[in-house]
Structures are given as structure tokens and as C-alpha cells.
């Protein structure tokens, strides 16, 4: 797997994650600002928080995938002698 292709995939994932976080927070702010109550208010608030959390998860996943592509020193790979 080439590093260039991985970078494009992770950049797209981070862009999608940021979009999800922003949309989730906008939904939360709208549900609070318009004082939606009852089932619809709880649904909007919960959906907004859920979308933001899924976006944060995918952001972390993309960062982890991006870092995994770099060669790193590992103590177990070093010779003991």
C-alpha cells in the first residue's frame, strides 16, 4: 500500500469527520436554541451528540491510520546483543 494513497484516504476521512462534528454540534445548538422539548427535542439533541461522537471516532481512526504508515522504532525490533 502506498503512502500517497493512504494520505488521500485519511484526508478524506478527516474531512468527513470534521463535517460530521460540525453538523452534530449545529443540530445540538439548534435543539437548545429553539427550545425543542419532548421526544423531538431529545431526538435532535441525542442525534447531534451521536453524530459528533461518530465524527470524533473517525477522526481518531484516520489519524491512527496515517501514523501507522510511517516507519517507527520499536523496542522489540531491536537486537538484544
Amino acid at each position: 500500500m502506498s503512502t500517497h494513497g493512504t494520505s488521500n484516504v485519511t484526508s478524506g476521512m478527516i474531512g468527513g469527520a470534521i463535517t460530521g462534528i460540525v453538523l452534530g454540534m449545529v443540530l445540538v445548538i439548534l435543539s437548545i436554541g429553539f427550545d425543542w422539548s419532548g421526544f423531538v427535542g431529545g431526538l435532535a439533541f441525542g442525534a447531534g451528540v451521536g453524530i459528533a461522537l461518530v465524527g470524533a471516532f473517525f477522526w481518531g481512526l484516520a489519524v491512527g491510520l496515517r501514523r501507522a504508515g510511517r516507519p517507527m522504532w520499536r523496542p522489540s525490533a531491536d537486537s538484544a546483543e
Side-chain angles (χ1 to χ4, degrees):
M1 181 184 286
S2 70
T3 307
H4 182 67
T6 305
S7 179
N8 286 341
V9 169
T10 55
S11 295
M13 285 178 69
I14 290 176
I18 291 172
T19 303
I21 292 170
V22 169
L23 288 176
M25 289 299 104
V26 166
L27 189 56
V28 167
I29 291 171
L30 285 175
S31 70
I32 293 171
F34 287 129
D35 196 25
W36 293 337
S37 60
F39 179 77
V40 176
L43 181 67
F45 188 81
V49 170
I51 291 169
L53 287 175
V54 169
F57 170 79
F58 278 110
W59 188 339
L61 178 66
V63 169
L65 288 174
R66 183 179 286 177
R67 288 184 183 170
R70 297 182 191 155
M72 298 173 63
W73 176 80
R74 295 181 318 259
S76 62
D78 202 15
S79 62
E81 285 107 53

